[in-house]
């Protein structure tokens, strides 16, 4: 088995973690900031993006596509609904993606897969920044608004 085959076989877990990090990052961004932007545009108050409160933006569900029996097959209802539900669990999601990202980083470094290692550094750093933002006063305010 050549060194390249060993690297490819050895970093499969790193590539799976990388894909999961990217998927959950996209889902979280749509479920939190996408919903926030849609709500701000819906009420016509774009500066409300910097101050997400229930009194200012209203209920997050009011700005999303309406759910009901006639819209059960509307893909926007499903996309925004699932993404918003995932965004509500930002704290455990950030913890899991950070722990798995660090473990995958160590494994990719040991196997010598530089490409996966580089992308894992970027994605794990993005999740670290997202976790820091979620723990900030703005992030807790955004999270509280999404939970309403």
């Amino acid at each position: 088995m050549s060194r390249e085959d060993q690297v490819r076989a050895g970093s499969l877990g790193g590539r799976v973690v990388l894909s999961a990090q990217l998927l959950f990052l996209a889902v979280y961004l749509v479920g939190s900031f996408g919903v926030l932007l849609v709500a701000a545009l819906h009420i016509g108050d774009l500066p409300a993006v910097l101050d997400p409160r229930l009194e200012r933006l209203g209920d997050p569900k009011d700005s999303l596509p309406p759910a009901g029996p006639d819209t059960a097959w509307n893909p926007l209802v499903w996309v925004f609904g699932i993404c918003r539900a995932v965004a509500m669990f930002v704290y455990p999601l950030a913890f899991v993606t950070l722990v798995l990202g660090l473990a995958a980083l160590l494994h990719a470094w040991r196997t010598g897969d530089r490409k996966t290692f580089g992308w894992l550094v970027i994605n794990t750093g993005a999740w670290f920044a997202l976790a820091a933002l979620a723990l900030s006063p703005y992030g807790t305010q955004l999270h509280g608004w999404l939970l309403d």
Side-chain angles (χ1 to χ4, degrees):
M1 189 182 250
S2 71
R3 175 73 179 148
E4 185 178 309
D5 291 336
Q6 289 175 344
V7 167
R8 194 174 299 129
S11 65
L12 177 64
R15 289 192 301 267
V16 169
V17 170
L18 178 66
S19 299
Q21 281 182 329
L22 280 172
L23 174 70
F24 282 120
L25 183 63
V27 167
Y28 175 75
L29 291 176
V30 168
S32 60
F33 295 106
V35 171
L36 177 63
L37 186 60
V38 167
L41 290 172
H42 182 71
I43 64 165
D45 186 13
L46 207 52
V49 170
L50 300 176
D51 186 26
R53 287 178 288 130
L54 189 61
E55 301 85 32
R56 189 165 183 181
L57 290 169
D59 194 351
K61 293 181 289 271
D62 293 342
S63 60
L64 297 177
D70 55 341
T71 61
W73 296 106
N74 184 353
L76 287 177
V77 172
W78 288 93
V79 168
F80 277 104
I82 290 170
C83 291
R84 182 172 169 255
V86 169
M88 289 179 191
F89 296 102
V90 66
Y91 301 119
L93 183 63
F95 177 75
V96 168
T97 55
L98 284 173
V99 169
L100 289 177
L102 292 174
L105 270 171
L106 180 63
H107 183 69
W109 178 67
R110 284 182 149 173
T111 59
D113 189 356
R114 291 181 179 187
K115 185 177 179 182
T116 303
F117 181 80
W119 281 108
L120 279 168
V121 166
I122 292 169
N123 284 344
T124 305
W127 271 104
F128 182 77
L130 189 67
L133 178 68
L135 292 171
S136 72
Y138 175 79
T140 55
Q141 187 176 4
L142 174 62
H143 189 251
W145 175 75
L146 282 172
L147 289 175
D148 282 329

